[in-house]
Amino acid sequence: MSKKWGSVQFFDATSMGAILEAMNSMQAAENLDVIARVQSMVEYIEVFVLSVYCAHLYHMAFADNARLRQGFDTFFVEPLNEWIFPISVLLVALLSGLIAWHWLFKHDKSEA
């Protein structure tokens, strides 16, 4: 119940509890929204870090592999030979990022 006195409105103590409850639930909803946005940003960072780790693992495993270099020499022309390994590292990063992205967001929707 509220009473008006001039341009000022006063609330009874019983109705203030309901007002405070509504304000607390609105604040909780805002906090949950902030947490959800932060979590989605963390998921983007996780996908990026995973793709970088996969590319680095590929680079460590195959950088000094002579047979792989011979295979590149066999299948690709001379100017492309020096660029094909860095391009393949980037392709591994992109592919692993896409797989992680697909798995993360498909997995997310199936649980919801």
Side-chain angles (χ1 to χ4, degrees):
M1 217 48 211
S2 64
K3 297 179 182 176
K4 202 164 193 175
W5 185 60
S7 64
V8 179
Q9 188 171 4
F10 296 98
F11 293 93
D12 293 337
T14 56
S15 63
M16 273 307 268
I19 292 170
L20 289 175
E21 273 184 40
M23 288 175 63
N24 283 338
S25 67
M26 286 183 351
Q27 184 65 35
E30 288 176 16
N31 290 343
L32 285 175
D33 186 48
V34 168
I35 290 170
R37 281 187 278 147
V38 168
Q39 180 62 35
S40 80
M41 290 297 165
V42 168
E43 288 172 351
Y44 297 143
I45 294 169
E46 287 173 349
V47 168
F48 175 75
V49 168
L50 180 77
S51 68
V52 168
Y53 279 151
C54 287
H56 185 63
L57 178 66
Y58 175 80
H59 187 268
M60 285 189 331
F62 298 112
D64 295 327
N65 191 337
R67 295 184 89 181
L68 183 68
R69 295 288 180 170
Q70 285 177 344
F72 286 158
D73 289 343
T74 304
F75 290 111
F76 299 104
V77 295
E78 187 61 35
L80 192 57
N81 282 344
E82 62 190 50
W83 287 100
I84 196 66
F85 188 73
I87 290 171
S88 68
V89 171
L90 289 175
L91 288 176
V92 166
L94 288 173
L95 183 64
S96 62
L98 286 173
I99 290 170
W101 183 276
H102 176 71
W103 182 82
L104 180 69
F105 289 105
K106 182 159 180 96
H107 193 263
D108 232 5
K109 290 178 184 176
S110 66
E111 285 184 358

